[in-house]
Amino acid sequence: DNRRSMNEQNPATTRPIDDLLALRQQLQSAQLELEARARTIRSLTAELDAMRARQDERARESAGSQLESVLRDAATPAAQLVAQAYLLEQQGKPVQARDILNVARRLLRALEKHGLALEGEPGGEVRFDPDRHAPLSAQAALQPGQRAVVRFPGASFDGRILTRAAVEAIEESA
């Protein structure tokens, strides 16, 4: 009994024990905090993955909707072109070139409405730019800036070249 009261009163003995207990409590508290943060990170990661999946799904739906809109606008003129080809090729009935051109122009307008841009007019003069133009003939060696005539327009969408305009060099007269 006397020993206990002496130990309890001896600061040299109680100080290390108190420090050890305090350190153990701090360690346990830190471990609990780390576990809580790890759970929070896992939860936030799962939420982020779910949000990304929803965003990807919305992007697919939006792209599908945009494509459907383009196809809806192009569907009637495309069907008319097929019908004209059938009349001409299968039925042997004459189809006026003007009628075919009118339907083709409607198809082009539908595509232009959705962002297709034709680059260059057939017969138009341009300065050759290898990023925007391609020689009509593989044998033609056009130099950047050289005068050329557009034979087939190029096409772009949203500022990106889809196909370069086919051009021929203009013969320079001496």
Side-chain angles (χ1 to χ4, degrees):
D1 210 17
N2 243 357
R3 283 186 193 155
R4 188 184 296 174
S5 65
M6 281 181 24
N7 280 341
E8 289 174 2
Q9 293 174 2
N10 185 352
T13 313
T14 58
R15 176 74 183 189
I17 292 172
D18 290 345
D19 288 350
L20 182 61
L21 287 174
L23 288 174
R24 283 185 180 163
Q25 286 176 338
Q26 288 176 354
L27 178 62
Q28 186 176 20
S29 176
Q31 286 173 332
L32 290 172
E33 187 176 329
L34 281 175
E35 289 172 10
R37 288 184 180 182
R39 282 191 302 275
T40 299
I41 289 171
R42 284 192 300 272
S43 173
L44 290 172
T45 301
E47 281 181 47
L48 179 61
D49 290 344
M51 285 181 3
R52 283 181 178 153
R54 286 191 302 271
Q55 184 178 10
D56 288 347
E57 180 61 27
R58 277 190 231 118
R60 278 191 298 277
E61 287 173 2
S62 176
S65 177
Q66 289 173 347
L67 181 59
E68 181 181 339
S69 179
V70 170
L71 296 176
R72 185 181 310 109
D73 289 346
T76 299
Q80 288 173 338
L81 281 175
V82 170
Q84 288 172 336
Y86 172 77
L87 289 172
L88 184 64
E89 296 171 348
Q90 303 296 319
Q91 298 285 313
K93 295 183 179 177
V95 177
Q96 297 296 314
R98 186 178 321 115
D99 294 338
I100 295 171
L101 280 175
N102 285 336
V103 173
R105 285 187 179 119
R106 286 183 39 228
L107 181 58
L108 282 174
R109 280 193 305 273
L111 296 173
E112 288 171 339
K113 171 183 170 186
H114 293 281
L116 179 72
L118 295 178
E119 306 285 330
E121 287 284 325
E125 187 178 315
V126 295
R127 293 287 178 179
F128 181 71
D129 175 353
D131 293 331
R132 305 186 78 73
H133 308 119
L136 189 59
S137 166
Q139 290 79 23
L142 290 162
Q143 300 301 314
Q146 182 177 348
R147 290 178 51 218
V149 63
V150 174
R151 296 297 179 210
F152 297 98
S156 66
F157 176 75
D158 200 21
R160 292 183 305 272
I161 300 291
L162 301 175
T163 185
R164 295 179 292 168
V167 299
E168 285 183 318
I170 293 177
E171 298 300 324
E172 300 291 335
S173 46

